[in-house]
Amino acid sequence: MEFGSIEREIHVDAAPEVVFEVLSSPEHIRDWWNGAETDLSAEPGSGTEVAWGRGTPDEHVEPLTVVAADPPRLFSFRWVPDDADDPVAAALLVTFELVPAGSGTLLRLTETGFREKGWEAAVMEAAYADHVNGWDVFVPAIAAHAERLVATR
């Protein structure tokens, strides 16, 4: 396995503007990303954290920096480790492309940078598998949340 990138694509029965809102607004992120808490601002260069299970023994916090926000076409961020000498080189890049498709949106996710992290093979393989499993759950959750949002408006 090459561990170069993770790619997912799904059709969402919602306009790109709605999908962008779901991807980049803290109140929506909580709903599709397994209760994640964040104060994310969809402004390039802004940094924040995404936290799961805050205040519990299973708490997990990941720092991230918004790389690009071009509503309603593109949203990307880097998982940026706090202790990195070169945060860009040490970060995984997540990119969401939103392409109008009929009355909906083709959502394309790409996550790259696994090989560039310099991890030992077993660590890289485990991290890659963890992210594959996560996006297999969360990309469909993004679509479902956006579609529910449209149905309630």
Side-chain angles (χ1 to χ4, degrees):
M1 196 173 243
E2 60 134 319
F3 307 112
S5 67
I6 297 169
E7 298 174 6
R8 298 291 177 268
E9 190 172 280
I10 193 168
H11 182 269
V12 184
D13 288 325
E17 292 80 6
V18 173
V19 179
F20 187 89
E21 178 184 343
V22 166
L23 290 170
S24 62
S25 300
E27 64 272 18
H28 297 299
I29 290 169
R30 185 177 310 110
D31 290 332
W32 64 262
W33 213 352
N34 199 27
E37 296 178 22
T38 184
D39 63 354
L40 178 81
S41 171
E43 296 293 325
S46 67
T48 191
E49 295 178 335
V50 178
W52 295 268
R54 205 177 279 283
T56 71
D58 295 329
E59 178 177 88
H60 181 81
V61 178
E62 290 288 339
L64 67 82
T65 299
V66 175
V67 174
D70 183 12
R73 301 175 331 161
L74 179 75
F75 183 68
S76 67
F77 63 85
R78 288 189 185 279
W79 297 111
V80 182
D82 288 329
D83 59 351
D85 292 332
D86 182 353
V88 172
L92 299 173
L93 176 64
V94 177
T95 302
F96 296 98
E97 294 177 78
L98 310 174
V99 179
S103 62
T105 303
L106 180 62
L107 170 63
R108 290 185 185 129
L109 163 107
T110 307
E111 184 172 26
T112 59
F114 292 92
R115 287 187 310 237
E116 292 77 9
K117 300 255 316 161
W119 285 326
E120 293 179 12
V123 172
M124 180 174 58
E125 185 175 345
Y128 185 87
D130 183 52
H131 285 237
V132 164
N133 292 334
W135 292 124
D136 283 348
V137 171
F138 299 126
V139 169
I142 293 164
H145 183 72
E147 291 167 2
R148 280 192 307 274
L149 191 60
V150 167
T152 61
R153 289 188 172 171

